[in-house]
Amino acid sequence: MVFDTDSVVRTHFATQSISGGLHVAIIMDGNGRWAEARGLPRSAGHVAGAETVERIVAAAAALPIERLTLFALSADNWNRPAGEIDAILELMRVWLTSKTEECVANHVRLSVIGRRDRLPSPLVAAIEHAECATADQSKLHVRLAVDYSARDAIVRAARRFNVQAALDGARDGFERTLAVTCHANDLPRDVDLLVRTGGEQRLSDFLLWECAYAELFFSPRSWPDFTAADLEAALVEFRGRNRRFGGLSA
Ligand code: IPE
Ligand code: IPE
Ligand code: MG
């Protein structure tokens, strides 16, 4: 992983007044269609997609992004053939195992949100190792959403919240519970920019709570073809948006 800063981008963002880094979330979609268009098995698309993850993490580290949440496997993806899911889970295990050291060297913290009880134990071990080894890194926090469903996270948090007697203040308390139930170990942080690749324009049960005021960016490009320049273009467009949060323009 090369953490190289493109000078054009650096100059562009250096001129912006950035207070704190952004939370960018990406629905990494289009791997299967990318492979099918090339006469390859869908699993080849996931392999190519894993390479894009590496490129985009490196690009994000050179941009004013503090948190990057990547949708890697949804809870509904269990509806796919077992062979495809097994290949994705194994790819994640290998990716986490092989990238952990580089992440430490580049000050990237890795964590995983979503359910773990349905994941193979070698993958859970790789997740725990990656989280533990990178826990002190603070340049960029990369979160992989694996077996993740936003509705499920909210429902489980609500159930847990209800049975807790100490309901000190509705929203803060609920967000803390949400953090615990989806294994994030961090308070939910609003997404600033949500990117979806692959041409679809939907949320597919990703970060519904955190995307309340996210700016949406849809790219027609498949995830394996998504580049650092595409991410930079999304950020440039984001900077041009007028975020009002229910109020009026400044
Ligand atoms: C996204 O790519 C990766 C996962 C959902 C795991 P897809 O596999 O959904 O690719 P398409 O949408 O079928 O092209
Ligand atoms: C969403 O993509 C999940 C991930 C990218 C991991 P899907 O391909 O599963 O979503 P739908 O089925 O098109 O909504
Ligand atoms: Mg898809």
Side-chain angles (χ1 to χ4, degrees), residues 28-31 33 42 80 196 200 202:
M28 309 184 290
D29 197 22
N31 293 353
R33 282 165 286 161
R42 291 177 59 85
R80 296 187 183 195
R196 182 171 187 145
E200 311 294 356
R202 52 179 172 255

Side-chain angles (χ1 to χ4, degrees), residues 56-94:
I56 294 303
V57 168
L63 290 165
I65 297 173
E66 196 171 290
R67 181 180 283 202
L68 179 68
T69 307
L70 302 172
F71 204 3
L73 188 78
S74 78
D76 289 323
N77 288 147
W78 292 109
N79 293 324
R80 296 187 183 195
E84 180 172 345
I85 298 304
D86 290 347
I88 292 169
L89 295 172
E90 177 58 9
L91 203 52
M92 279 175 197
R93 187 193 66 75
V94 170

Side-chain angles (χ1 to χ4, degrees), residues 4-15 62-63 232:
D4 198 14
T5 310
D6 180 278
S7 61
V8 176
V9 175
R10 197 173 37 217
T11 309
H12 177 86
F13 287 104
T15 61
L63 290 165
E232 289 151 16

Side-chain angles (χ1 to χ4, degrees), residues 239-250:
R239 289 294 180 200
R241 302 267 180 99
N242 185 359
R243 302 186 83 191
R244 291 188 287 277
F245 300 99
L248 300 176
S249 297

